[in-house]
Amino acid sequence: MTPPAFSPVALRFENIDKRYGGLLALRGVSLTVAPGECAVFAGRNGSGKTTLLRIAARLVRPSRGSLSFSNSSCDDEKSPVRPGFVAHATMVYDELTAEENLLLFARLQTVSRPERRVEALLEEVGLSDRRASLVGTFSRGMRQRVAIARALLHEPAVLLLDEPATGLDPPGVAWLAEAIRRLRDSGRTILMSLHGESEISSLGTRAIRLDAGSVVADTRTGATFRSVLTFADA
Ligand code: ADP
């Protein structure tokens, strides 16, 4: 097996607030997620999970507090860590084929030897034989595979997945679980938001619950997985 093309990275949120007008979407979130950890974020709709992942992806700036990445062999100021982000909407172009989508994003991200990388990723996500099909003809599960390949183009050490299992049928969920297991076991730092207990949540090495923008439970500080992942919907 070839060694990973990334160095392990820890991610740290320090006292993060995010304000949207009069609404405080995140309130004083402080957390460190270690390399190799697969942290599952649970919480009701509107509790702040997506906002936290978008801050980690550097798509949104916190109103207060800071996000940092630590990596023994690289300085984030000089060579910023770029997490891979699989958003809830798959963010791929329907009018392009799977291969064209990946080549486009590979070139935008200045991935070296883009054709080779895209070929390897199409193989890895099981889409080699559908490479020339328009993404507009794909099922949700196939689009999700393209989105995951897209997020992995630059060999990110940190992977962010926002409700990755939503809309997938049971075979799609089984495929996703296996893919996340492999990514977790490769030493990547994974943060994902989920609803409830599932085949996917069982991959978590840690679970954290957000409520109204605050961390209210964390298996790291003694909560059980079950109590973090299951909660009565108000
Ligand atoms: P979750 O992912 O847990 O459902 P979100 O992070 O999407 O929660 O949302 C947290 C809160 O922030 C919600 O009240 C939501 O309406 C609000 N919010 C999220 N994004 C925006 C935005 N761009 N503008 C205004 N409010 C937002």
Side-chain angles (χ1 to χ4, degrees):
M1 241 177 72
T2 45
F6 59 87
S7 342
V9 167
L11 177 153
R12 185 164 185 212
F13 300 103
E14 226 173 327
N15 213 11
I16 298 247
D17 283 357
K18 178 63 192 177
R19 183 175 286 285
Y20 290 113
L23 176 95
L24 204 49
L26 291 173
R27 303 162 189 253
V29 174
S30 292
L31 283 173
T32 299
V33 183
E37 227 170 20
C38 178
V40 172
F41 289 83
R44 293 188 177 89
N45 286 337
S47 57
K49 304 179 295 296
T50 300
T51 303
L52 194 64
L53 292 179
R54 288 174 65 82
I55 286 174
R58 306 201 226 229
L59 295 171
V60 166
R61 276 181 189 276
S63 310
R64 186 174 68 113
S66 63
L67 164 77
S68 57
F69 297 94
S70 67
N71 166 336
S72 53
S73 63
C74 113
D75 175 350
D76 192 46
E77 297 258 307
K78 287 192 198 128
S79 158
V81 172
R82 288 185 295 142
F85 185 38
V86 179
H88 194 220
T90 44
M91 300 195 302
V92 283
Y93 291 105
D94 282 357
E95 60 278 19
L96 298 181
T97 67
E99 186 172 30
E100 286 165 348
N101 262 286
L102 294 177
L103 277 173
L104 170 70
F105 291 112
R107 293 194 175 112
L108 286 173
Q109 294 177 31
T110 58
V111 166
S112 67
R113 305 170 86 176
E115 286 84 4
R116 244 181 112 120
R117 181 77 188 125
V118 167
E119 192 175 338
L121 278 168
L122 283 166
E123 178 75 38
E124 198 173 322
V125 301
L127 284 177
S128 290
D129 58 346
R130 298 299 305 274
R131 65 199 308 146
S133 302
L134 294 181
V135 166
T137 66
F138 282 6
S139 65
R140 161 90 184 148
M142 291 163 75
R143 297 172 69 87
Q144 188 70 318
R145 292 181 191 216
V146 180
I148 290 172
R150 183 201 147 159
L152 295 174
L153 279 166
H154 62 292
E155 295 274 16
V158 179
L159 194 61
L160 310 165
L161 303 159
D162 194 7
E163 297 192 15
T166 304
L168 298 184
D169 58 10
V173 173
W175 179 85
L176 180 71
E178 189 46 40
I180 295 174
R181 184 191 313 282
R182 282 201 310 271
L183 291 164
R184 180 196 67 185
D185 294 348
S186 70
R188 286 182 169 84
T189 311
I190 300 181
L191 283 73
M192 61 179 165
S193 68
L194 288 179
H195 270 293
E197 283 186 295
S198 67
E199 201 174 340
I200 308 289
S201 67
S202 68
L203 298 167
T205 57
R206 177 179 179 187
I208 295 155
R209 175 138 52 102
L210 291 177
D211 187 14
S214 300
V215 172
V216 293
D218 185 344
T219 53
R220 170 74 70 80
T221 50
T224 63
F225 274 83
R226 171 144 294 185
S227 71
V228 173
L229 293 171
T230 53
F231 48 93
D233 269 313

